[in-house]
């Protein structure tokens, strides 16, 4: 079987979630038992996949089969497979490059990289917050485990590596 291009691993390494090659199903692979179970099936195509720090939720982008519906940024319960749309309007701006979605280290928000900006949306729902905007194309966005530093590549004809510190809100303890 062909391997998916989108996968994510829980922090403890116990589960690998991956999108099936036809892009319409998310499967969980237990790394200890090698047992697989289907987590979710969608009417469309799944792109991007990120698991929350606690391993309970998955974030992904769903592209509809037809052009009449918008792309959606979705949160999926990793146990039940129930999904809810977090945002539609921004989803069309999310590039197909890896690393376009992720979670804040405390799991309270999802991070979304568009072509020239990084946004944070509360995982429980609500309005997003622009974290930073770049002049050039963004790629390879990574947040440190303590949430105090982000590194990213910005391409403006030349590539530049940027590291920002202390830009995220304080984590709740």
């Amino acid at each position: 079987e062909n391997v998916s291009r989108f996968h994510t691993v829980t922090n403890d390494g116990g589960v690998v979630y991956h999108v099936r090659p036809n892009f319409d199903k998310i499967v969980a692979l237990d790394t200890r038992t090698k047992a697989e179970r289907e987590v979710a099936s969608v009417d469309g195509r799944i792109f991007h996949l990120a698991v929350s720090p606690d391993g309970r939720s998955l974030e992904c982008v769903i592209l509809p089969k037809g052009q009449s519906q918008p792309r959606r940024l979705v949160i999926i319960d990793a146990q039940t497979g129930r999904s809810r749309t977090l945002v539609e309007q921004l989803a069309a701006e999310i590039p197909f490059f890896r690393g376009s979605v992720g979670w804040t280290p405390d799991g309270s928000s999802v991070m979304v990289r568009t072509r020239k900006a990084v946004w944070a949306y509360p995982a429980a729902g609500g309005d997003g917050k622009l974290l930073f905007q770049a002049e050039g194309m963004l790629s390879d966005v990574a947040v440190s485990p303590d949430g105090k530093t982000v590194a990213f590549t910005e391409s403006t004809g030349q590539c530049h590596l940027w590291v920002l510190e202390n830009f995220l809100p304080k984590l709740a303890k």
Side-chain angles (χ1 to χ4, degrees), residues 59-97:
E59 172 190 14
C60 64
V61 176
I62 298 178
L63 279 66
K65 286 185 177 177
Q67 298 296 329
S68 61
Q69 298 173 322
R71 291 183 192 175
R72 300 179 295 134
L73 179 66
V74 179
I75 302 287
I76 297 173
D77 183 294
Q79 290 305 310
T80 67
R82 287 191 193 104
S83 67
R84 60 186 168 78
T85 299
L86 202 58
V87 66
E88 287 182 359
Q89 68 274 16
L90 184 72
E93 298 177 35
I94 300 171
F96 289 105
F97 307 127

Side-chain angles (χ1 to χ4, degrees), residues 8-47:
T8 186
V9 181
T10 56
N11 282 342
D12 67 0
V15 180
V16 176
Y17 293 97
H18 60 99
V19 178
R20 287 284 190 212
N22 57 1
F23 299 100
D24 66 346
K25 290 178 177 48
I26 298 173
V27 174
L29 169 68
D30 184 305
T31 60
R32 293 172 286 278
T33 66
K34 307 300 184 233
E36 281 193 333
R37 69 176 173 84
E38 185 177 304
V39 174
S41 181
V42 302
D43 185 26
R45 298 180 75 197
I46 301 165
F47 286 86

Side-chain angles (χ1 to χ4, degrees), residues 90-147:
L90 184 72
E93 298 177 35
I94 300 171
F96 289 105
F97 307 127
R98 292 182 203 269
S100 292
V101 300
W103 292 81
T104 56
D106 66 356
S108 66
S109 297
V110 296
M111 294 181 60
V112 179
R113 175 176 57 92
T114 63
R115 287 172 177 77
K116 293 188 175 188
V118 174
W119 292 80
Y121 283 86
D127 293 334
K129 176 183 177 186
L130 177 65
L131 297 179
F132 60 89
Q133 182 129 16
E135 290 183 27
M137 186 80 139
L138 290 175
S139 60
D140 307 317
V141 178
V143 178
S144 66
D146 66 5

